[in-house]
Amino acid sequence: MAAKKPTNWRLWAKCLIGGAAVAVGGPAFTMWLTPTEEELRSKYNPELRKKSLENVEEKQQEFDDFVTRLKEYSKSDKHIWIVVKEEEERRRKAELAAAKASKQETETRREEMRREAGLEAK
């Protein structure tokens, strides 16, 4: 029977230290290099900075609405992309109905104005 080779503890120590350095150091280095939103905004020209600061609340509200819709979509048993497609279809139909109602209202007003002016209706 062959003699058992001794464990190379120095090699294992190097591997563990190197792995820990990569596992901890990589994300730490990335976090250190990534600029914050304030640092990015400070590098904008004044006009862009002003626009960016004006739109912060609007963008945050849009994101909150998006997340709220995603939460609603996720409550369904269907896949999320199917629910999104159905919601888009419902929204499109509602927009078409609103446009049709607006057109009808415009026609009604136009006819009313013609009657008031004493013109014949078409």
Side-chain angles (χ1 to χ4, degrees):
M1 185 172 196
K4 183 178 174 189
K5 289 176 88 177
T7 305
N8 189 348
W9 292 110
R10 178 176 274 174
L11 175 68
W12 280 104
K14 284 188 217 178
C15 288
L16 290 175
I17 290 171
V22 169
V24 174
F29 186 63
T30 303
M31 287 173 40
W32 180 62
L33 288 179
T34 305
T36 63
E37 285 188 34
E38 293 303 319
E39 291 172 341
L40 287 175
R41 282 195 186 107
S42 69
K43 293 181 182 181
Y44 289 175
N45 69 22
E47 188 177 312
L48 280 177
R49 189 178 312 139
K50 182 179 176 186
K51 283 184 181 180
S52 176
L53 291 175
E54 288 174 355
N55 295 333
V56 166
E57 292 177 12
E58 182 181 323
K59 298 267 187 196
Q60 186 63 37
Q61 183 62 38
E62 287 177 6
F63 179 74
D64 291 342
D65 293 342
F66 173 73
V67 170
T68 304
R69 281 194 316 257
L70 281 181
K71 286 179 182 177
E72 289 297 319
Y73 296 159
S74 67
K75 291 179 183 178
S76 175
D77 293 338
K78 301 176 186 175
H79 291 290
I80 194 164
W81 52 85
I82 294 173
V83 177
V84 169
K85 196 174 270 192
E86 289 173 352
E87 181 66 27
E88 287 175 356
E89 184 67 24
R90 256 183 268 148
R91 190 173 295 139
R92 187 181 63 79
K93 285 182 181 179
E95 287 175 3
L96 288 175
K100 190 174 184 180
S102 174
K103 186 176 180 182
Q104 182 66 32
E105 183 180 333
T106 304
E107 288 297 323
T108 305
R109 278 195 216 148
R110 188 174 288 157
E111 290 299 321
E112 183 67 30
M113 290 170 68
R114 285 179 190 260
R115 277 191 229 115
E116 288 177 6
L119 300 174
E120 289 185 21
K122 285 188 176 184

